[in-house]
Amino acid sequence: MRRPVLLVIAHGSRDPRHAATVHALVRRVRSLRPGLRVETGFLDFTVPSVPGVLESLAAEGVRDVVALPLLLTRAFHAKADIPAVLAKAPARLRVRQADVLGPSPLLLAALERRLYEAGLTPADKSSTGVVLASAGSTDPEAIAVIAAIAREWRHTGWCAVRPAFASASLPRTEDAVRELRALGCERVAVAPYVLAPGFLPDRIARSAAAADVLADVLGPAPEVARVLLERYDAARTPELAAVGALGA
């Protein structure tokens, strides 16, 4: 049976680094799952658009699509924007929306990868405070998830971990940096919990001026690519179960 096409849905940005990073991540996903067709669509600012990709797939005769939001939390885009776009897909397409990427232990591993690439070592964990800096949201569920991730990450050995937000919510990154200094952490690192460069990640970087270490965005980290495939497989679970029952 032909596997559904994986359609990765990114927000889009006027910043060309955003699309370049999304495409790099998609290339890594393809390298991990040869033979899986992976397409990319953007909600805004960048082409191809999600409706355009869906129309093209339908015209080719594709029947099954798993639409995967390239988002770290279930906020407005995952709950409203993307379902609204997918609801207008051509009738001949069966489109299933996969879950967002976070939270996931693999994303914590990717965050640590970026911190080590920025100069930290595992031996630094107990003396280093980390700011988990996300884009921010007005959605209480999304804010609660970021706070829970920070608490979980703290238990892996860091001196302390504090959430921070680039917009819509408080505290800001610079405030969290000051708090960790006041706690007595020997050094402070900022880990952007964002997928690609752009306006808000740049704001996080500026706000991290007083930190000792600033990690890169998650980008095409192998752990992120593996999460995408996990979400794709989970969205296919009913189909796979039906195939197994037929073969029993």
Side-chain angles (χ1 to χ4, degrees):
M1 183 175 61
R2 184 174 297 178
R3 289 179 290 187
V5 171
L6 170 56
L7 172 58
V8 175
I9 299 179
H11 182 271
S13 170
R14 293 186 178 90
D15 189 325
R17 297 173 299 165
H18 175 89
T21 302
V22 171
H23 290 311
L25 175 58
V26 168
R27 286 194 297 272
R28 188 176 288 276
V29 171
R30 291 182 181 129
S31 73
L32 292 177
R33 187 75 61 89
L36 172 63
R37 181 173 178 181
V38 187
E39 299 292 340
T40 309
F42 296 88
L43 291 174
D44 210 349
F45 303 118
T46 312
V47 293
S49 69
V50 175
V53 175
L54 292 171
E55 290 286 352
S56 295
L57 291 173
E60 290 179 30
V62 170
R63 290 294 177 264
D64 290 298
V65 175
V66 170
L68 195 156
L70 200 59
L71 300 168
L72 295 171
T73 59
R74 272 184 50 78
F76 182 78
H77 292 305
K79 295 177 179 179
D81 282 356
I82 292 176
V85 171
L86 297 181
K88 298 177 182 178
R92 65 182 67 91
L93 285 179
R94 181 171 70 152
V95 182
R96 283 163 284 180
Q97 182 175 331
D99 202 358
V100 297
L101 303 184
S104 167
L106 285 169
L107 294 178
L108 286 182
L111 287 166
E112 295 208 356
R113 171 191 290 274
R114 294 302 189 223
L115 286 170
Y116 297 150
E117 290 171 350
L120 294 178
T121 70
D124 296 323
K125 291 184 74 168
S126 63
S127 57
T128 301
V130 178
V131 178
L132 179 67
S134 74
S137 174
T138 57
D139 189 305
E141 178 187 349
I143 299 303
V145 166
I146 299 300
I149 292 170
R151 289 193 298 271
E152 178 183 352
W153 203 14
R154 163 67 182 85
H155 294 310
T156 66
W158 296 100
C159 174
V161 180
R162 294 291 185 271
F165 307 94
S167 67
S169 309
L170 295 173
R172 296 287 184 254
T173 298
E174 59 267 33
D175 299 325
V177 170
R178 283 194 293 270
E179 181 183 351
L180 291 171
R181 294 278 189 215
L183 284 175
C185 296
E186 186 176 315
R187 67 185 63 79
V188 176
V190 174
Y193 190 58
V194 292
L195 287 165
F199 177 75
L200 292 178
D202 283 351
R203 179 181 289 178
I204 290 171
R206 291 192 299 271
S207 298
D212 302 295
V213 174
L214 171 63
D216 199 358
V217 299
L218 293 172
E223 296 87 353
V224 179
R226 287 168 57 196
V227 176
L228 263 72
L229 290 172
E230 284 187 355
R231 298 295 183 255
Y232 170 80
D233 290 337
R236 289 185 65 206
T237 297
E239 166 196 291
L240 295 174
V243 171
L246 289 173

